[in-house]
Amino acid sequence: MAVHTVATPATPSQDAPAVDLGPAVALSCRECGERFPLGPVFACESCFGPLEVAYDLPTGDPEALRAAIEAGPANIWRYAPLLPVPADVATKPSLNPGFTQLVKADHLAAELGVTGGLYVKDDSGNPTHSFKDRVVAIAVEAARAFGFTTLSCSSTGNLAGAVGAAAARAGFHSCVFIPHDLEQGKVVMAAVYGGDLVGIEGNYDDVNRFCSELIGDPLGEGWGFVNVNLRPYYGEGSKSLAYEIAEQLGWRLPDQIVIPVASGSQLTKIDKGFKELIALGLVEDRPYKIFGAQAEGCSPVSTAYKAGHDVVRPQKPDTIAKSLAIGNPADGPYVLDIARRTGGAVEDVDDAQVVDAIKLLARTEGIFAETAGGVTVGVTRKLIEAGLIDPSLTTVVLNTGDGLKTLDAVAPTTGPTATIRPDLDAFRAAGLATS
């Protein structure tokens, strides 16, 4: 099978799926609106804009649709009628990610002065301990539909592990590409599933450029790159975060949500998910604000937002938050649009603030976040202090991964309170006894 990257326009008779991806009917250019048949492509032939999935979503009684969702499996497949997957997706070999905890974070709220309800959407509970399991699960179904035999990706770490695990479960070969200097925990997790793991000398943007070359070469024949030629489908997995948050809040939208920004795809798809829920009548149509969070050492979107620019200028990453270290984010301009449209903002925090926020979340709620979670919590605190987040409103903060993957970030300043001899006098002398 040839691997295509640019789509050919659809005629009216073509605007229907040749493959079974459920309610998905076409690909649509986000820039010019031109439609294309479903296929392994990601760029518009007319304007080279990014493609996204267009749907024929269910219509009718919202109550019946809510009831059907609630009766579904406790994973993302409960939302199959709203995703580009076949109706029988839950019967196929999958890691079955999703429906992770929405933690009511009262102790963290007290620390931050939030009175309107603060929640942490903790996606560290996914099978490979990051939200990437969601997007990969959708990409696997597209890979099946298009007849690919190998799953691949360019990754800052979490995606590599998610692809390796999903490929092993679904029966694909995997070959994934990462920067050579990733955190060791993420390297081991990506390699343990038995696929090929290739380190590239350079940063994520160098890895991504290499994959773009490979995808057009005969060496890439039969390969599904989940975040390149399968990107329109892959990105839709992040909508499930929007669906779950709304359902877990009692079928209502949060007033404010803070989302980490790497490529920016997650933020744009959560916004898309919220809009779909409103259009389907599953939630009340009410305003919500979306805030993007970046690390100061790789903050091209935050820099553009604060300068009032529409163009996102690439940066060379230099931050401990390596899962967010994408210096040239593909969806950066759309993040700016959404933040401004919803009345939100895009902010950043430095590495010291990231570490402090990781410890704050762990101490107050028992959630050990990876560095990206430290970014969102740190930015939330900064936005509250700046008066941009209203503490009297319902606020959701995303933690997208497990702190066990980024131990190096906190290890230098975290360890035993004391080391003593094994006797009571030594314990008393250490001043740790409470009575």
Side-chain angles (χ1 to χ4, degrees):
M1 169 179 286
V3 176
H4 302 287
T5 58
V6 179
T8 302
T11 64
S13 62
Q14 289 178 308
D15 195 12
V19 295
D20 179 12
L21 288 175
V25 295
L27 296 176
S28 176
C29 177
R30 203 183 300 180
E31 288 295 322
C32 71
E34 192 156 7
R35 290 167 78 95
F36 306 89
L38 296 173
V41 292
F42 65 91
C44 173
E45 182 183 68
S46 299
C47 72
F48 297 101
L51 301 180
E52 62 179 8
V53 179
Y55 295 93
D56 182 9
L57 291 176
T59 57
D61 181 9
E63 291 295 336
L65 180 55
R66 271 196 291 263
I69 289 171
E70 291 169 354
N75 54 55
I76 62 170
W77 305 136
R78 70 200 282 116
Y79 308 108
L82 311 180
L83 295 169
V85 296
D88 64 349
V89 62
T91 68
K92 299 181 179 182
S94 169
L95 296 179
N96 298 324
F99 220 64
T100 55
Q101 293 187 84
L102 183 69
V103 178
K104 193 167 190 299
D106 291 339
H107 299 301
L108 178 61
E111 289 268 354
L112 300 182
V114 175
T115 58
L118 179 64
Y119 297 83
V120 176
K121 181 59 172 169
D122 185 15
D123 246 23
S124 67
N126 276 309
T128 69
H129 308 288
S130 90
F131 90 95
K132 292 295 187 180
D133 290 322
R134 298 174 180 273
V135 290
V136 171
I138 306 298
V140 165
E141 294 310 309
R144 283 189 175 121
F146 302 136
F148 290 118
T149 56
T150 295
L151 288 182
S152 186
C153 69
S154 53
S155 173
T156 57
N158 283 327
L159 181 57
V163 168
R169 173 68 178 138
F172 288 84
H173 173 252
S174 67
C175 182
V176 300
F177 302 89
I178 59 173
H180 69 286
D181 60 349
L182 280 187
E183 302 97 333
Q184 186 63 17
K186 291 182 179 178
V187 172
V188 172
M189 189 169 191
V192 74
Y193 300 109
D196 293 320
L197 176 67
V198 181
I200 299 291
E201 296 176 358
N203 59 33
Y204 173 80
D205 297 302
D206 298 314
V207 179
N208 205 36
R209 279 192 293 272
F210 169 79
C211 288
S212 296
E213 293 177 14
L214 179 57
I215 202 172
D217 189 275
L219 287 170
E221 185 82 11
W223 288 35
F225 289 78
V226 301
N227 54 345
V228 188
N229 59 344
L230 296 177
R231 186 177 181 84
Y233 313 95
Y234 156 93
E236 295 295 286
S238 288
K239 293 195 309 179
S240 62
L241 279 162
Y243 303 153
E244 287 178 21
I245 289 167
E247 183 179 353
Q248 290 168 325
L249 286 175
W251 292 108
R252 64 185 178 91
L253 301 182
D255 298 308
Q256 304 165 136
I257 184 168
V258 185
I259 304 169
V261 174
S263 72
S265 175
Q266 183 185 71
L267 186 148
T268 65
K269 291 304 186 287
I270 288 175
D271 178 60
K272 183 179 181 181
F274 284 165
K275 289 192 292 185
E276 287 176 352
L277 291 172
I278 292 170
L280 291 167
L282 294 174
V283 299
E284 179 186 353
D285 185 358
R286 52 181 293 188
Y288 57 87
K289 293 183 179 182
I290 292 183
F291 297 88
Q294 293 203 291
E296 184 181 283
C298 186
S299 54
V301 186
S302 173
T303 298
Y305 175 82
K306 288 187 277 190
H309 296 161
D310 295 325
V311 176
V312 176
R313 294 186 176 182
Q315 294 181 358
K316 184 176 181 180
D318 182 17
T319 173
I320 61 171
K322 293 183 180 180
S323 62
L324 303 183
I326 297 180
N328 189 16
D331 285 317
Y334 303 108
V335 170
L336 294 174
D337 291 344
I338 290 167
R340 289 165 177 156
R341 189 195 81 229
T342 65
V346 188
E347 185 54 270
D348 56 78
V349 286
D350 63 31
D351 285 354
Q353 291 170 310
V354 171
V355 172
D356 186 56
I358 291 172
K359 292 181 176 182
L360 173 64
L361 180 60
R363 174 172 58 81
T364 56
E365 300 299 339
I367 297 172
F368 184 18
E370 71 162 16
T371 47
V375 170
T376 53
V377 173
V379 163
T380 299
R381 176 162 56 183
K382 191 171 182 179
L383 290 170
I384 291 170
E385 292 171 351
L388 295 176
I389 282 182
D390 186 339
S392 69
L393 300 178
T394 301
T395 305
V396 172
V397 179
L398 265 61
N399 172 44
T400 52
D402 195 320
L404 291 174
K405 294 184 176 188
T406 56
L407 290 173
D408 289 352
V410 294
T413 57
T414 307
T417 304
T419 301
I420 63 171
R421 299 185 310 277
D423 62 64
L424 292 176
D425 287 342
F427 182 59
R428 290 190 184 97
L432 301 176
T434 57
S435 62

